[in-house]
Structure formats: C-alpha cells, structure tokens
Amino acid sequence: MNMATLTTNQKICPTCQRSLISNDYTPTLKERTIMKFIVDYQSQKNKSPSYREIAFHVNLKGINSVSTYLCRLKSKGYVDFIPAKKRSVQVIKEI
C-alpha cells in the first residue's frame, strides 16, 4: 500500500510504519495466542522468545508476519519492544 493513498482515519504503526487495518483495540485470537506464548516462554526461560520461535509456535510462515502482529499489539498497548534489539518483547498489558 502506498503511504500517499492512506486515508486520514487509518492508523500507522509508529515502529514499522505499516498501516494498521483495524481500529479495534481488542486483540485477535492469533494476537492473544502470541501474547500467551510470550508470557509462558518468559516464565519458563527468563528471556523473551525470538521471532522465529514465535512463528513456529503459532504456525506463521515467517518472521515478517510475527513483526506485523507485534507492531499491531504494540500500537494497541499490549506489548513493547525495542525494534533492533533481539529478544526484547515484553507483554505490558495482559488480557
């Protein structure tokens, strides 16, 4: 999607600059599954999972999909992460 064609009511992820499709602030089933996996992984291993581990666990084809989901969750206020830092995902608001 060309950034010039975005309408004024569409939201842009401040981290990855992608258009957020939905204005709904309730996480989808896939987003809730990702958040639960992150919380469980952190409680067991005391570190955040990698994007590849998240993709494998929730049956996504690649890490770009994980990045998209995490950007949406960040814009909804459920997770936070440092974009260029490995294993920096933190759930800040649980469901």
Side-chain angles (χ1 to χ4, degrees):
M1 174 182 289
N2 185 349
M3 290 301 191
T5 62
L6 293 175
T7 61
T8 56
N9 64 348
Q10 288 180 317
K11 295 187 183 250
I12 304 293
C13 175
T15 305
C16 65
Q17 299 302 310
R18 292 187 183 127
S19 173
L20 298 172
I21 297 169
S22 173
N23 290 334
D24 185 18
Y25 286 92
T26 304
T28 64
L29 177 61
K30 184 74 82 171
E31 291 169 343
R32 289 193 305 266
T33 304
I34 290 171
M35 288 174 49
K36 183 172 178 354
F37 175 69
I38 292 169
V39 169
D40 292 345
Y41 188 97
Q42 288 173 335
S43 68
Q44 292 174 2
K45 300 192 179 186
N46 294 324
K47 63 180 179 180
S48 295
S50 68
Y51 282 23
R52 194 163 309 281
E53 290 166 330
I54 295 170
F56 178 77
H57 179 76
V58 297
N59 298 320
L60 295 173
K61 291 186 178 185
I63 60 174
N64 193 40
S65 297
V66 174
S67 178
T68 300
Y69 278 106
L70 290 176
C71 283
R72 288 181 186 163
L73 283 168
K74 184 173 183 173
S75 70
K76 293 176 182 182
Y78 287 95
V79 301
D80 195 19
F81 59 90
I82 301 168
K85 188 174 180 199
K86 294 180 182 181
R87 299 183 182 266
S88 66
V89 180
Q90 298 291 321
V91 175
I92 55 176
K93 181 169 64 170
E94 292 192 41
I95 303 168

